[in-house]
Amino acid sequence: MAELGRVAVRDPDSLLPGGFWAAVAVWVERPQVTNKRLCGVRLEARRSVSLPRAEHAGPRPSSGPEREEQAPAECGPKEGPGHGQRFPEGGPGPRPSAGPEQGPQESQGRRQQGEDQREAAKAPLLSGAPGQPGKAGAGVGDFPASDLDSLWDDFSRSLASGNREMLAFFTRSWAESQLEAQHELDVILRTVIPKTNTHCPLSAPRREIVVQDVLNGTVIFLPLEEDNEGNLKVKTSNVYQIQLSHSEGEWFISVLIFCPERWHSDGIVYPKPTWLGEELLAKLARWCVGSRQSGFKSTLSLISIMKYSKAYQALKEKYKDMVKVWPEVTDPEKFVYEDVALAAYLLILWEEERAERGEPTRQSFVDLGCGNGLLVHILSSEGHPGRGIDVRRRKVWDMYGPETHLEESAITPNDKTLFPDVDWLIGNHSDELTPWIPVIAARSSYNCRFFVVPCCFFDFIGKYQRRQSKKTQYRGYLDFITEVGSTCGFHVEEDCLRIPSTKRVCLIGKSRTYPPAGEDSVDERRTRYINSRPGGPVSPPGQVPAPPPPGAAAGGADGPEGRGALDVGAGHTPESSAEGLWLSGFHPREKVKRVRNCAALPRDFIDRVVLQVANLLLGGKQLNMRSSQSRSAKAWNRGGSLSLAEVARELDRDTLRRLRRERGGLRTLLRNSSQVFHVLDGRVRLRDWREERPRKEKEPEAKRRLFSETFKTRICWFFTHHPDGCVLPSDRCPFAHGPGELRPATTRKKKQPL
């Protein structure tokens, strides 16, 4: 046995030992948070077991030859420096003892404390585990849960029959093992799923038994491997332990391995010992005392992680060339791989839904607010009939070809925007349509479902405003959309996607809370709820507010007394119902997106402000055209630094009024003029190009291409306006020193359809 690492943990808020088990739950349930080469885990089964009685193991081993015969070669506890240290006395807290000095009441109290700690250790795994048996792992090599009993029985018999070193690894020391032979252990069987990688196709899922000893503050990981006959057995060379201990008023976390000389690392499921003792240990120490109450579900909790991993890698390989030909100004890697991940999730969700319903036909869909349309293109290419609708056409639409159906049209929620023949409505960052999508799905047909990824905070009309300061705005908005779905009669489920976005929670309405015959009464409730939101009609005098929908008050955005309360009487309909509108005042986004980032301002206005600010930074020197005799670079005047407030005070009223109409105002204009200014922490100064980082020899192809296309295509501002000229010589400056160096800007060729 060897101790790989040991860290002291400061616990000013008295979160330990409970915080330790919360941190262990992250490593047990979501190891991919730390080990980026894993896709996730599937929890197969869980049992409470007892440690084998110590007397079955025979007398305590000595240091003679007999002990050498019982242990595997060079494994087990060792003494002296360089090997594992002895566990500090005292353990993680008050520990039960069978000694004569312990009275009945004290013994009962400690047993109760042990039960409380055991329940605290179980809690994280029982609430929203990512690999729920029968859900995330359904149909993908399910391991019979009953076999956990036989696996543990075989292993515990080996402990009791002579594997004394392993038993000592479990019980810390032989004396304590004899005293504590009857206390319970919590045993979990999990399947560790590595990421599917074309460069490493041999990475198969591995199974592990996780043994939690709450009373002693230890968790032991027993990897399983198949023998020559196909039977699973413990891979003793890769057994390791995470331990919490308390000594001299200080908490410690340690990582130990049972057999350091025979440890086998594949770099994926079995990391190197140094990684366990450094990276993992540091993360556990931080998680122990950190805030872990995020209020969100575990990632990919509603689908099979193994299926998702395979689907994602296959789609990523299939559509990776989109990154190279992306014609939009948005980041291609973010948007392409985000839509690939969304498509993989939906494909697995729909595959499992077909299996549950026994329907072979692939689901149809409509993506409302489809944006670049890539998600529609992928889903259509994978065999799902559907289309996308957006108010504004994108350049990339021309690349997909005629088999991808995309429509340029504004959507206003009314009786005409229904989709009775569609199975699913999708809203991925659909902005002002997000709260309406559950309503449209509910009114389209009883069998229509919805999938939304809320992002920007919109109510039915206008922006969403939260009322509960105890929740983040994002959490409050998710609860609001959940309340909308519940009011519309859906069982709303929440999941966390694995996409490169800060807003990655999806809400899914797959089934209804009412039979088809109850549609009329539920739709009346929907209407009252919509009218109760800000911007809806005022309640007629004398009418009693309607009660909230079942479950909406508990899980809704604002509760029974907040903005989500229903305060419009039964039978009231919108004033615009005669026109087919569901709520007057809704305005879809403009077809032509208004540019408000100072880029549309007149060029002479921008040049005048830039010259005025540069003049202020240089101490009031008048700038226009530099003199023919410039100073040496060593005496180059770099000017001073001013706060944005100081600059604004020097600008005239008309200039400030014009800048206030733009997003970011003066700050945005100066940041756009990045050739001239450096803006940081609310202060601005002239950019000294001598301080810019030199270009790397090995840069991504896209950056090299962009630099070559823009090199010397614009006049150097400093060469033209600064009294000392440009600080860089002409051959090093990326801008043209005079018209003679100007190169024509490169016009990119139009992308060909895929």
Side-chain angles (χ1 to χ4, degrees):
M1 179 177 65
E3 186 176 77
L4 300 178
R6 174 184 172 95
V7 295
V9 181
R10 295 182 66 255
D11 184 26
D13 299 325
S14 301
L15 298 176
L16 296 173
F20 170 75
W21 292 111
V24 166
V26 175
W27 178 238
V28 172
E29 299 179 68
R30 303 188 297 277
Q32 71 275 11
V33 173
T34 301
N35 187 350
K36 301 301 182 181
R37 297 180 179 180
L38 298 180
C39 181
V41 299
R42 184 177 63 209
L43 302 183
E44 308 280 7
R46 183 179 195 128
R47 296 286 185 271
S48 292
V49 300
S50 297
L51 192 69
R53 292 179 177 272
E55 57 265 27
H56 292 172
R60 179 175 177 177
S62 64
S63 57
E66 182 180 355
R67 181 176 180 179
E68 296 294 331
E69 294 174 1
Q70 297 286 350
E74 300 180 322
C75 291
K78 296 186 178 182
E79 304 292 341
H83 300 290
Q85 301 178 7
R86 293 186 62 84
F87 296 87
E89 295 181 2
R95 300 174 58 186
S97 171
E101 298 180 1
Q102 177 176 303
Q105 294 181 351
E106 183 180 2
S107 174
Q108 183 178 359
R110 291 185 177 181
R111 282 196 300 269
Q112 182 62 40
Q113 183 180 14
E115 291 296 328
D116 294 341
Q117 292 183 9
R118 189 175 294 109
E119 291 302 317
K122 290 181 180 180
L125 289 165
L126 294 176
S127 57
Q132 298 171 3
K135 193 68 177 178
V140 189
D142 283 352
F143 195 81
S146 59
D147 285 1
L148 174 59
D149 296 327
S150 61
L151 282 171
W152 177 254
D153 289 342
D154 293 342
F155 179 69
S156 59
R157 278 196 297 270
S158 71
L159 292 180
S161 63
N163 197 345
R164 299 169 179 173
E165 283 70 22
M166 181 64 75
L167 185 58
F169 192 68
F170 267 76
T171 57
R172 298 188 172 189
S173 68
W174 285 96
E176 291 173 337
S177 71
Q178 292 179 0
L179 294 174
E180 301 181 7
Q182 296 300 319
H183 76 259
E184 285 190 348
L185 304 175
D186 194 40
V187 178
I188 304 162
L189 178 64
R190 70 172 185 169
T191 299
V192 183
I193 305 170
K195 284 185 177 179
T196 304
N197 193 330
T198 55
H199 303 290
C200 189
L202 298 179
S203 299
R206 305 292 179 89
R207 293 188 176 93
E208 285 185 341
I209 296 178
V210 183
V211 183
Q212 294 185 151
D213 186 349
V214 179
L215 291 180
N216 286 328
T218 62
V219 54
I220 298 176
F221 296 82
L222 306 173
L224 301 174
E225 63 178 354
E226 290 187 357
D227 58 17
N228 296 332
E229 299 177 357
N231 299 317
L232 287 175
K233 65 176 184 179
V234 174
K235 183 181 178 69
T236 57
S237 61
N238 281 35
V239 174
Y240 68 98
Q241 175 185 133
I242 302 171
Q243 174 196 135
L244 175 71
S245 57
H246 192 263
S247 177
E248 298 179 356
E250 240 184 323
W251 290 99
F252 297 92
I253 299 179
S254 308
V255 175
L256 305 97
I257 57 177
F258 176 66
C259 193
E261 294 82 2
R262 297 172 55 219
W263 180 275
H264 167 71
S265 174
D266 61 4
I268 302 176
V269 178
Y270 305 131
K272 293 181 179 180
T274 53
W275 187 90
L276 291 173
E278 296 174 3
E279 297 288 334
L280 177 60
L281 186 59
K283 291 285 180 67
L284 291 171
R286 187 168 71 252
W287 294 339
C288 279
V289 292
S291 176
R292 295 165 303 278
Q293 301 299 325
S294 65
F296 298 105
K297 294 286 185 179
S298 302
T299 305
L300 307 179
S301 62
L302 300 179
I303 63 171
S304 166
I305 297 177
M306 189 179 300
K307 288 182 180 179
Y308 171 83
S309 178
K310 293 179 180 178
Y312 175 75
Q313 291 299 330
L315 294 177
K316 184 178 179 182
E317 184 70 20
K318 187 174 181 179
Y319 298 98
K320 65 181 180 181
D321 290 339
M322 287 293 302
V323 176
K324 302 177 183 178
V325 297
W326 192 252
E328 305 290 341
V329 296
T330 52
D331 180 9
E333 290 194 356
K334 177 188 184 301
F335 283 89
V336 170
Y337 293 137
E338 179 174 329
D339 283 351
V340 166
L342 281 168
Y345 187 94
L346 285 169
L347 290 174
I348 299 305
L349 180 72
W350 292 346
E351 177 187 327
E352 295 181 349
E353 183 188 56
R354 292 196 302 272
E356 292 173 4
R357 296 186 171 205
E359 299 176 355
T361 307
R362 293 180 183 267
Q363 296 89 333
S364 59
F365 70 93
V366 172
D367 188 351
L368 301 178
C370 62
N372 58 53
L374 180 57
L375 179 60
V376 178
H377 174 67
I378 297 175
L379 294 176
S380 300
S381 301
E382 299 302 315
H384 287 271
R387 58 193 170 113
I389 306 174
D390 199 279
V391 70
R392 183 166 53 89
R393 186 180 184 86
R394 306 301 201 273
K395 298 176 184 177
V396 72
W397 286 14
D398 297 328
M399 300 175 57
Y400 298 138
E403 71 279 356
T404 301
H405 303 286
L406 300 170
E407 302 175 13
E408 184 181 14
S409 175
I411 299 174
T412 301
N414 56 40
D415 293 341
K416 296 181 180 180
T417 54
L418 297 176
F419 306 91
D421 299 327
V422 173
D423 296 319
W424 282 82
L425 296 185
I426 299 173
N428 175 27
H429 301 278
S430 46
D431 294 346
E432 73 277 0
L433 286 176
T434 299
W436 286 104
I437 288 178
V439 182
I440 298 173
R443 288 177 170 174
S444 291
S445 72
Y446 184 79
N447 293 320
C448 189
R449 288 87 78 189
F450 74 86
F451 172 92
V452 293
V453 183
C455 180
C456 299
F457 308 132
F458 283 90
D459 210 312
F460 291 110
I461 293 179
K463 290 286 188 178
Y464 167 81
Q465 300 293 332
R466 64 170 176 161
R467 283 287 184 90
Q468 291 193 9
S469 59
K470 294 182 179 179
K471 297 180 181 179
T472 65
Q473 188 173 18
Y474 183 45
R475 180 69 265 174
Y477 188 65
L478 291 172
D479 291 344
F480 162 58
I481 302 300
T482 301
E483 183 178 271
V484 173
S486 300
T487 306
C488 290
F490 287 98
H491 290 289
V492 182
E493 297 178 278
E494 179 180 311
D495 203 356
C496 198
L497 303 173
R498 195 169 289 174
I499 58 176
S501 174
T502 56
K503 306 292 192 303
R504 57 194 188 97
V505 174
C506 68
L507 300 174
I508 305 171
K510 291 175 59 179
S511 60
R512 304 294 177 99
T513 59
Y514 61 95
E519 177 63 34
D520 291 340
S521 61
V522 174
D523 192 62
E524 184 178 321
R525 187 177 71 193
R526 294 182 198 122
T527 302
R528 296 199 308 269
Y529 179 78
I530 293 170
N531 294 336
S532 73
R533 297 298 300 175
V538 180
S539 177
Q543 289 199 352
V544 181
D558 301 295
E561 299 178 0
R563 299 183 60 157
L566 306 180
D567 55 5
V568 179
H572 182 72
T573 57
E575 297 173 349
S576 57
S577 60
E579 304 173 5
L581 295 175
W582 295 344
L583 189 63
S584 60
F586 175 85
H587 299 288
R589 73 184 81 170
E590 298 175 355
K591 181 176 180 179
V592 179
K593 191 174 182 180
R594 184 182 174 189
V595 178
R596 295 178 57 193
N597 61 354
C598 296
L601 290 173
R603 188 71 249 177
D604 59 344
F605 174 82
I606 296 175
D607 292 341
R608 179 169 59 81
V609 175
V610 169
L611 280 171
Q612 191 172 354
V613 175
N615 177 53
L616 292 171
L617 295 174
L618 288 174
K621 292 187 177 182
Q622 193 65 31
L623 302 179
N624 188 9
M625 294 293 292
R626 72 179 183 90
S627 61
S628 57
Q629 299 294 329
S630 61
R631 304 175 189 174
S632 65
K634 293 183 179 178
W636 191 78
N637 183 6
R638 62 189 299 168
S641 171
L642 294 174
S643 68
L644 294 176
E646 292 171 328
V647 173
R649 283 196 292 267
E650 300 296 329
L651 300 179
D652 60 83
R653 185 172 299 177
D654 291 338
T655 299
L656 291 176
R657 186 183 299 113
R658 200 166 188 175
L659 288 173
R660 287 193 187 101
R661 298 175 189 155
E662 306 294 316
R663 288 199 178 113
L666 177 64
R667 182 198 302 268
T668 300
L669 187 145
L670 298 179
R671 282 183 170 174
N672 290 351
S673 305
S674 58
Q675 181 193 159
V676 185
F677 301 111
H678 181 81
V679 183
L680 182 66
D681 296 333
R683 300 188 68 83
V684 58
R685 62 176 176 84
L686 291 178
R687 184 175 294 277
D688 189 343
W689 282 87
R690 293 171 299 185
E691 298 175 352
E692 297 302 308
R693 291 182 300 177
R695 289 173 50 78
K696 298 178 180 179
E697 294 182 2
K698 294 183 178 180
E699 283 188 333
E701 181 183 351
K703 286 189 176 181
R704 292 199 307 270
R705 184 172 64 247
L706 180 62
F707 181 79
S708 64
E709 291 175 354
T710 59
F711 186 74
K712 299 290 186 182
T713 58
R714 288 188 294 163
I715 290 290
C716 176
W717 186 93
F718 291 101
F719 178 83
T720 305
H721 297 285
H722 195 282
D724 298 334
C726 180
V727 72
L728 296 178
S730 174
D731 59 337
R732 290 179 53 200
C733 181
F735 305 99
H737 286 195
E741 293 187 3
L742 267 178
R743 296 172 58 245
T746 303
T747 303
R748 296 195 178 188
K749 295 181 180 179
K750 188 176 181 180
K751 308 299 180 182
Q752 298 296 324
L754 293 178

